[in-house]
Amino acid sequence: ETGVTQSPTHLIKTRGQQVTLRCSSQSGHNTVSWYQQALGQGPQFIFQYYREEENGRGNFPPRFSGLQFPNYSSELNVNALELDDSALYLCASSSQTLYGYTFGSGTRLTVV
Amino acid sequence: QKEVEQDPGPLSVPEGAIVSLNCTYSNSAFQYFMWYRQYSRKGPELLMYTYSSGNKEDGRFTAQVDKSSKYISLFIRDSQPSDSATYLCAMSAIGGATNKLIFGTGTLLAVQP
């Protein structure tokens, strides 16, 4: 299967809860990045994983954490959810020989 | 001041018009410049990728980079209703797979039939 797939597509959580978002990277891509896109804004870099290690982090607090698995799929975990965490969360994968990323369609998280 | 500034629009044009989308940036370390198109409820899709200054053409799309002015542009010729989407500029200081992209806020484009 080609392309980046994310699950779930939509999610509603209560403030203070924890959430896990999942991403399957495109075949042959060994790098996964996560971005947060608030309504009406451009995506903001959360962090990146390469060969199962965190390889760069944006200006997000430690309650945002992630994992990359041997098959290059990835998870984004957010603890102690806040209302401002409501956004579209995008996963993007890339390979060492490609320019730019391939993005998934995202998970829309609503925190109430 | 944001690192990347982009006019959010919305921009409405008739079918067949030439569209000009622009971004300015403040970080002189940026060397890689991209344009993404994002349809509603979808992830961004890479349209154009340019390294350093110059022009790049792909079909109806032309990307221009002027590093001396810290200004990039995307031109769409013969615009079609299917071009209606949000256009995001993005840039990074390093290339390859491990770069971190800095995005503009996006410009919402509507092409009227």
Side-chain angles (χ1 to χ4, degrees):
Chain A
E1 183 181 353
T2 60
V4 177
T5 57
Q6 293 187 241
S7 62
T9 54
H10 297 86
L11 201 53
I12 298 175
K13 288 286 191 178
T14 303
R15 188 171 50 183
Q17 285 188 314
Q18 179 265 342
V19 69
T20 298
L21 310 181
R22 294 178 174 83
C23 171
S24 293
S25 60
Q26 183 165 324
S27 177
H29 288 186
N30 56 14
T31 303
V32 174
S33 302
W34 286 90
Y35 285 78
Q36 180 195 66
Q37 186 176 22
L39 195 63
Q41 300 296 315
Q44 288 202 333
F45 177 74
I46 303 174
F47 44 55
Q48 181 179 85
Y49 280 83
Y50 173 64
R51 293 185 176 178
E52 302 176 56
E53 297 281 337
E54 188 177 290
N55 184 48
R57 187 178 184 92
N59 189 26
F60 281 81
R63 58 190 185 83
F64 286 78
S65 63
L67 284 173
Q68 186 182 31
F69 300 100
N71 66 354
Y72 304 132
S73 65
S74 178
E75 286 182 355
L76 165 65
N77 298 289
V78 187
N79 293 322
L81 284 166
E82 301 177 359
L83 297 179
D84 285 348
D85 296 333
S86 296
L88 180 68
Y89 288 85
L90 295 162
C91 171
S93 71
S94 54
S95 77
Q96 293 296 322
T97 58
L98 280 179
Y99 300 114
Y101 298 153
T102 300
F103 281 88
S105 292
T107 294
R108 183 158 300 281
L109 172 65
T110 302
V111 182
V112 297
Chain B
Q1 182 188 6
K2 290 184 178 179
E3 281 190 284
V4 179
E5 300 276 1
Q6 184 175 7
D7 186 342
L11 184 61
S12 181
V13 301
E15 183 175 354
I18 296 175
V19 176
S20 172
L21 305 167
N22 311 294
C23 288
T24 59
Y25 63 95
S26 58
N27 188 345
S28 57
F30 288 147
Q31 295 194 75
Y32 298 85
F33 304 92
M34 285 141 277
W35 286 95
Y36 282 84
R37 177 174 62 196
Q38 186 174 25
Y39 291 114
S40 180
R41 304 180 188 278
K42 296 290 186 183
E45 168 195 13
L46 181 65
L47 277 177
M48 301 285 286
Y49 184 103
T50 309
Y51 170 69
S52 195
S53 286
N55 295 355
K56 187 172 184 179
E57 188 173 321
D58 184 3
R60 297 185 294 110
F61 298 90
T62 300
Q64 287 186 352
V65 174
D66 182 350
K67 289 188 69 180
S68 62
S69 301
K70 297 190 177 67
Y71 187 88
I72 70 170
S73 300
L74 178 71
F75 297 95
I76 307 174
R77 292 183 299 281
D78 187 25
S79 56
Q80 303 295 309
S82 59
D83 295 327
S84 298
T86 295
Y87 289 80
L88 296 153
C89 64
M91 44 199 82
S92 68
I94 60 173
T98 54
N99 55 355
K100 175 184 81 171
L101 298 183
I102 308 298
F103 283 86
T105 54
T107 299
L108 179 60
L109 171 67
V111 181
Q112 307 298 332

